[in-house]
Amino acid sequence: MHKRILCFCLAFLAIHPVLRAQFKKGMRMVGASVGTGTYNIGNSDVTYPSVTGFSSKENSYLLSFSPMMGWFISDNTVIGGSLLLNPNGSKSRYMSTGSTFQQDKVNTFNVGLGGFARNYFKSSGSMMPFGQGNLNLGVSSKNSSGFFYGGSGSSVYKTTYEGKSSSGFFANVTLSLGITKELNPNTGFDLFVSYTYSYSKNTMKTTTLRDDGNNGSVDLTSVNEPTTKFTNHGFSIGVAYQIFLDAKK
């Protein structure tokens, strides 16, 4: 998927007519950055020499949308703010002899505010390279659910769980290198690659039900509030559309 996005963007940059624009101190930049939208499907098989193994299927998606507005504090440098919207989720299934014995689902939605600084390596032309740094902070909501079948014979059981968090926190720092292709003197198309370091913290209130004998009755209920902290290093390809407005407008 990343290769298709990159090929499309490079072709667009190559065939579009050459136009010249010039940045000036006091101009405004308004646009939206759309990080790479990804949907993954994976499969795995685990086998043991003396016992029955199992297989798994995993689906996940990740979307990122970030409108931004900035001001040129010089002919080359823009500073501004942005809004971050980031839904993502995953689903994992574990199977043995054709039956699913475990399933886990997690959905997360992040909302945050951030600041950015962008420096163009030149202030005029039709293809203008830039470097950019972003800092984002925000809150997140998270929901999880799943089940597990265990035991054997007369001691079989089923556990189900549901978890919810509405007070999560996240922060991330992103460094990007890209190029702006001028479509006309007031609009541009960005293509960039980014590295992101992210941190998140969530406390999930999770309710677990256990059904001994798997007969539809609840034999044990437990409530826990585990706190998870997560750090990640990631690389991505992104695109953005920018509008450049003169200071008088």
Side-chain angles (χ1 to χ4, degrees):
M1 183 175 180
H2 289 182
K3 292 182 179 179
R4 293 180 181 178
I5 294 174
L6 181 59
C7 290
F8 171 80
C9 294
L10 292 176
F12 178 84
L13 296 177
I15 65 176
H16 205 276
V18 175
L19 298 168
R20 300 282 176 177
Q22 183 171 358
F23 298 143
K24 298 179 181 179
K25 181 180 178 179
M27 291 181 68
R28 288 173 290 163
M29 183 178 78
V30 180
S33 173
V34 182
T36 303
T38 305
Y39 181 77
N40 295 315
I41 299 177
N43 297 284
S44 65
D45 291 283
V46 179
T47 58
Y48 297 91
S50 58
V51 298
T52 302
F54 64 89
S55 62
S56 69
K57 292 184 178 180
E58 298 184 9
N59 305 321
S60 65
Y61 70 91
L62 172 64
L63 300 174
S64 179
F65 178 68
S66 183
M68 62 177 65
M69 184 172 184
W71 293 263
F72 280 83
I73 60 173
S74 72
D75 292 348
N76 296 79
T77 304
V78 190
I79 62 172
S82 60
L83 172 68
L84 176 66
L85 303 175
N86 174 217
N88 60 87
S90 64
K91 178 180 179 179
S92 302
R93 295 174 58 199
Y94 302 88
M95 293 157 288
S96 178
T97 63
S99 299
T100 300
F101 65 88
Q102 181 176 347
Q103 178 173 289
D104 300 293
K105 294 174 62 177
V106 178
N107 290 291
T108 305
F109 189 80
N110 298 324
V111 179
L113 296 175
F116 72 91
R118 173 182 292 197
N119 185 75
Y120 282 98
F121 300 112
K122 60 179 183 176
S123 60
S124 63
S126 63
M127 303 280 282
M128 288 174 289
F130 65 84
Q132 180 169 314
N134 294 66
L135 172 63
N136 296 302
L137 303 171
V139 296
S140 64
S141 61
K142 187 175 183 180
N143 294 281
S144 64
S145 63
F147 61 81
F148 175 77
Y149 290 95
S152 61
S154 60
S155 60
V156 296
Y157 64 91
K158 177 184 178 182
T159 60
T160 59
Y161 74 90
E162 290 188 353
K164 184 175 182 180
S165 168
S166 58
S167 59
F169 168 80
F170 75 89
N172 60 62
V173 176
T174 300
L175 300 176
S176 305
L177 288 175
I179 190 166
T180 297
K181 167 65 178 180
E182 292 299 320
L183 307 181
N184 61 51
N186 294 105
T187 61
F189 177 85
D190 290 350
L191 172 64
F192 56 88
V193 294
S194 300
Y195 160 77
T196 299
Y197 170 79
S198 58
Y199 167 85
S200 63
K201 179 180 179 180
N202 276 282
T203 298
M204 297 282 293
K205 183 176 182 180
T206 305
T207 302
T208 303
L209 308 177
R210 178 176 172 122
D211 176 5
D212 291 323
N214 191 25
N215 54 19
S217 63
V218 177
D219 299 289
L220 179 65
T221 300
S222 61
V223 178
N224 293 294
E225 293 190 43
T227 297
T228 59
K229 299 178 181 179
F230 179 75
T231 59
N232 184 66
H233 302 269
F235 296 88
S236 63
I237 299 172
V239 297
Y241 181 76
Q242 306 293 352
I243 300 173
F244 302 100
L245 303 173
D246 292 335
K248 297 180 180 180
K249 295 184 179 181

